Amino acid sequence: EWTDYGGAIREPAAFQAYLDLLEYAQEALPVLPYGVTYDEAAAGWRAESYELGGEYFLGDAEEAVAVLVTVEDRGTGSYLVTDARVVARGVYFEHLSELERWREARQRRVDVFE
């Protein structure tokens, strides 16, 4: 049994959801420093942290909860989980909105080269 989560895991009951995101998330949203736009990031700039998100049923819950995990790129092919939490619907929808903006910025970048 793990009792010390290093402060990164806020809701231990969602641990399996965190693991699932870390193993199977298909896209990650870059966490950009203040002032850096998605267009600048898509032009080749690399983020140091990324956010993964998903919806999960925890335990016997009848309603899915939103989960976000933030990881820091260690620059060695490995990542450090810096935050893992269950979030309110509004926070998750904001994540999805930002993820869509990121996808659009990447697509504009790819279109330049087609």
Side-chain angles (χ1 to χ4, degrees):
E1 178 179 326
W2 293 5
T3 55
D4 181 9
Y5 302 104
I9 296 177
R10 297 191 202 181
E11 306 264 349
F15 191 75
Q16 286 303 122
Y18 304 146
L19 287 180
D20 185 70
L21 272 177
L22 291 168
E23 289 185 50
Y24 300 108
Q26 295 184 7
E27 280 198 273
L29 176 68
V31 178
L32 303 178
Y34 180 77
V36 175
T37 67
Y38 288 124
D39 285 323
E40 291 168 330
W45 185 87
R46 234 180 104 180
E48 293 179 8
S49 294
Y50 298 89
E51 190 170 72
L52 313 169
E55 294 182 279
Y56 294 87
F57 289 94
L58 303 182
D60 295 332
E62 294 182 17
E63 198 171 307
V65 297
V67 174
L68 295 177
V69 174
T70 305
V71 296
E72 181 182 305
D73 186 344
R74 305 300 275 178
T76 60
S78 64
Y79 295 87
L80 172 69
V81 174
T82 58
D83 197 14
R85 65 219 179 270
V86 173
V87 297
R89 284 286 199 231
V91 173
Y92 183 63
F93 290 142
E94 169 102 9
H95 167 82
L96 293 178
S97 175
E98 291 297 309
L99 184 59
E100 187 57 32
R101 287 179 59 209
W102 169 238
R103 288 179 185 143
E104 290 170 2
R106 281 188 322 197
Q107 188 58 47
R108 282 192 300 274
R109 180 70 179 164
V110 170
D111 288 345
V112 169
F113 295 106
E114 287 184 353

